Amino acid sequence: MKLNKYILPIALAVSALSFSSCNDFLDRHPQGQFTEDDNPGALAEGKVFNIYTMMRNYNITAGIPAFAIEYFRSEDSEKGSTASDGADQAAMYDDFQYNTNNGLIKAYWSQNYAIIYQCNDVIETIEKGNLTEENDLRNKGEALFFRAYCYFNLVRAFGEVPLVTFKVNDASEANVPKTTAEEIYKQIDSDLTQAEGLLPRQWQSAYLGRLTWGSARALHARTYMMRNDWQNMYTASTDVMNSGQYNLDTPYDVIFTDDGENSSESVFELQCASTAALPASDKIGSQFCEVQGVRGSGQWDLGWGWHMGTELMGEAFEPGDPRKDATLLYFRRSDDDPITPENTNKPYGESPVSQADGAYFNKKAYTNPALREEFTRHGFWVNIRIIRYGDVVLMAAESANELGKTGEASGYLEMVRARARGNNPDILPKVTSLDQTVLRDAIRHERRVELGLESGRFYDLVRWGIASQVLHAAGKTGYQPKNALLPLPQDEIDKSKGVLVQNPDY
């Protein structure tokens, strides 16, 4: 597992460096050197590999901008760390005091568009070069997936955003007005439909972690879910289930460990690695675990302590649900506090003490101390789980229920609860009611605990139309309906010289 895991990230890092050096001389068109005209397919593939590297970036999947926008805004997550560390971000994302000059929205916006522009470059190279070899078409499928992924990030976060689907040679070319959310989703649908037709069901083992048909189809289901498009969501999610490519055989408490990487649960996860010689996160790994790591002292000085679970997250689990201990890492406030089952969930025999603000650390971002000592305490080697099969099954359950297929929905719900239950028949009883309302509540609850402290809870509340109700009850009374969308970064509006218009009420 360790050997295979490292093949792709190292290849991506090497390719990214090669691509960077190629760019230097391509701009000069030197005589007697390799240029894009010599082998456009090879350069396109190098750019695709670079996209994987860009996806592990701090600003889009592995750091505070992504966590603030996709996690903090729900009732189950909060900024964490200490009160003095990033108090402005707590005000912005925990308390909904939105600020158009906030640096995190700018970073998130910029990285998503940087990837989109790289995808446009790849797609144009392949299309204009009439590259039709199987590998070229797969590269195009990967670029289409990532473009759709980034536009989905943007349309959920900001609503109307500029739609740029051409290669950008000069920044001024991308200064275009906002496009309606409906049109953004049409582009997402087009990109993912094409990607589904181009990507393979599986890659050879040497390409572990590269995008597949299942990745594209599952992301498509997620985009339909955000629109409450039940029929298309149902079709896409059940297509993935019926493919036989994935299952729920991996125990829940293994999924987010080193042994759980690239398991049968994995629909798409970003491959990360670390070595004693090259631990830097921007080369082959990520800061995903470093940012969320336990902020404490001594052996617990593992990270920054951002993105923590709330008391409400802990209370959401049913009695005996093993997913609670696999999701939440409990701690004491001082060495004088007694160690009890209620405050200590001790992975690898450690006993946490911290002064962090939150109620729980995210155990899904916890790292093995032995590997910390071998590589780096920051946990750069841990893969980032982007789409997993449990989410797909719950998308099938929700859409089936909304379509009136309550018996089918009940079966999908039970699949997820049965995996969590394991061999203990005394917990997590089967939901036997076929009443649509009862099942709707049960499926929503299951999404909350199955996907606890993963991205998406805030967007679930928004699409269900219950964000104000739930967040106000949780004490986040600053939330208003307009806060479903973030303001556009003010400096982007300023740079556009009137082309971009701010979102309403900001």
Side-chain angles (χ1 to χ4, degrees):
M1 185 276 293
K2 289 297 176 188
L3 177 63
N4 286 340
K5 169 183 164 55
Y6 295 154
I7 290 175
L8 181 59
I10 292 173
L12 300 189
V14 171
S15 297
L17 293 172
S18 299
F19 165 62
S20 177
S21 62
C22 284
N23 256 358
D24 294 338
F25 66 72
L26 283 175
D27 291 338
R28 299 193 299 270
H29 299 289
Q31 296 297 314
Q33 293 207 40
F34 185 72
T35 70
E36 192 164 355
D37 292 333
D38 293 311
N39 193 341
L43 280 177
E45 182 163 63
K47 293 172 183 178
V48 167
F49 288 165
N50 191 52
I51 294 171
Y52 283 90
T53 301
M54 296 171 75
M55 280 290 297
R56 298 197 300 273
N57 183 272
Y58 178 89
N59 292 330
I60 188 170
T61 59
I64 292 172
F67 300 155
I69 291 169
E70 299 176 14
Y71 299 63
F72 295 174
R73 293 188 288 169
S74 84
E75 82 281 28
D76 291 339
S77 300
E78 57 187 317
K79 176 189 71 68
S81 187
T82 58
S84 61
D85 183 20
D88 56 333
Q89 307 304 349
M92 172 88 175
Y93 297 100
D94 280 335
D95 302 331
F96 297 98
Q97 298 173 17
Y98 285 174
N99 178 353
T100 61
N101 292 307
N102 179 266
L104 302 188
I105 57 173
K106 165 63 175 174
Y108 190 75
W109 174 285
S110 297
Q111 185 63 15
N112 274 287
Y113 272 111
I115 293 173
I116 287 169
Y117 298 160
Q118 181 88 319
C119 292
N120 292 345
D121 187 348
V122 171
I123 294 166
E124 183 171 307
T125 296
I126 293 172
E127 291 182 344
K128 287 193 172 182
N130 293 315
L131 306 179
T132 58
E133 296 293 328
E134 181 181 56
N135 197 57
D136 298 320
L137 297 178
R138 290 181 173 186
N139 289 335
K140 181 181 178 182
E142 289 170 292
L144 288 163
F145 173 98
F146 284 126
R147 185 167 72 179
Y149 181 93
C150 290
Y151 269 122
F152 185 49
N153 282 345
L154 292 167
V155 74
R156 288 192 303 175
F158 300 101
E160 297 182 350
V161 296
L163 180 61
V164 180
T165 58
F166 52 85
K167 181 178 179 179
V168 176
N169 297 299
D170 183 87
S172 63
E173 297 173 349
N175 187 18
V176 299
K178 295 192 296 187
T179 300
T180 65
E182 181 180 6
E183 288 300 315
I184 298 293
Y185 274 116
K186 284 183 180 179
Q187 186 64 51
I188 290 171
D189 287 336
S190 174
D191 284 354
L192 289 176
T193 298
Q194 291 182 73
E196 290 157 18
L198 296 172
L199 291 170
R201 297 291 175 122
Q202 287 182 308
W203 289 85
Q204 296 176 356
S205 59
Y207 296 105
L208 182 69
R210 291 186 74 168
L211 291 166
T212 63
W213 167 87
S215 308
R217 198 68 179 129
L219 178 61
H220 215 161
R222 187 177 283 178
T223 72
Y224 288 131
M225 178 173 68
M226 192 64 203
R227 291 172 275 178
N228 293 330
D229 182 342
W230 307 123
Q231 183 58 61
N232 280 317
M233 176 182 168
Y234 172 81
T235 301
S237 56
T238 54
D239 280 351
V240 176
M241 294 180 67
N242 292 335
S243 73
Q245 297 287 115
Y246 314 98
N247 60 58
L248 297 175
D249 292 349
T250 305
Y252 193 88
D253 62 356
V254 173
I255 296 171
F256 292 92
T257 67
D258 294 291
D259 289 339
E261 291 184 340
N262 301 307
S263 69
S264 58
E265 168 87 7
S266 175
V267 180
F268 176 49
E269 61 186 76
L270 288 169
Q271 307 297 297
C272 300
S274 183
T275 71
L278 188 62
S281 63
D282 63 346
K283 301 301 182 188
I284 57 176
S286 85
Q287 293 176 263
F288 182 82
C289 290
E290 176 187 45
V291 174
Q292 299 178 80
V294 177
R295 167 162 282 186
S297 61
Q299 65 181 332
W300 281 96
D301 181 20
L302 313 182
W304 305 355
W306 283 62
H307 180 225
M308 297 183 69
T310 63
E311 292 284 357
L312 290 173
M313 179 78 264
E315 294 168 1
F317 293 91
E318 296 168 61
D321 190 338
R323 290 174 294 190
K324 182 175 183 178
D325 282 353
T327 301
L328 307 177
L329 181 58
Y330 321 139
F331 63 94
R332 295 170 293 139
R333 296 293 177 182
S334 76
D335 286 319
D336 295 331
D337 291 343
I339 297 176
T340 70
E342 287 70 37
N343 69 17
T344 305
N345 178 9
K346 298 191 296 182
Y348 307 106
E350 299 187 47
S351 182
V353 175
S354 175
Q355 296 302 311
D357 276 356
Y360 307 94
F361 289 103
N362 183 5
K363 195 175 178 185
K364 292 177 178 179
Y366 183 76
T367 59
N368 185 330
L371 293 179
R372 260 186 259 139
E373 186 168 347
E374 180 179 356
F375 299 124
T376 167
R377 71 183 180 89
H378 302 293
F380 293 154
W381 66 86
V382 177
N383 285 2
I384 304 173
R385 281 67 165 176
I386 301 294
I387 307 174
R388 60 185 186 84
Y389 189 55
D391 189 7
V392 173
V393 176
L394 288 175
M395 286 192 282
E398 182 177 358
S399 55
N401 186 60
E402 296 301 330
L403 293 170
K405 305 174 186 287
T406 55
E408 193 174 339
S410 176
Y412 297 148
L413 175 62
E414 175 58 17
M415 286 172 60
V416 176
R417 289 176 68 82
R419 191 263 295 274
R421 186 185 305 127
N423 296 320
N424 187 350
D426 298 325
I427 60 172
L428 301 176
K430 181 178 180 179
V431 178
T432 57
S433 175
L434 295 183
D435 179 86
Q436 187 183 51
T437 301
V438 172
L439 271 177
R440 179 181 296 122
D441 290 342
I443 292 166
R444 289 181 178 183
H445 163 79
E446 205 67 22
R447 284 192 63 82
R448 185 182 185 186
V449 294
E450 171 71 19
L451 306 174
L453 298 189
E454 300 174 46
S455 67
R457 172 65 179 173
F458 174 76
Y459 291 127
D460 276 349
L461 298 178
V462 169
R463 69 183 179 85
W464 290 331
I466 60 174
S468 294
Q469 172 191 341
V470 170
L471 294 173
H472 288 185
K476 293 192 174 188
T477 56
Y479 179 83
Q480 303 173 46
K482 71 173 186 176
N483 298 135
L485 298 177
L486 293 164
L488 272 60
Q490 187 60 45
D491 61 347
E492 293 293 332
I493 293 175
D494 295 342
K495 286 190 304 182
S496 77
K497 300 186 183 304
V499 174
L500 277 183
V501 178
Q502 185 56 272
N503 279 340
D505 300 319
Y506 295 112

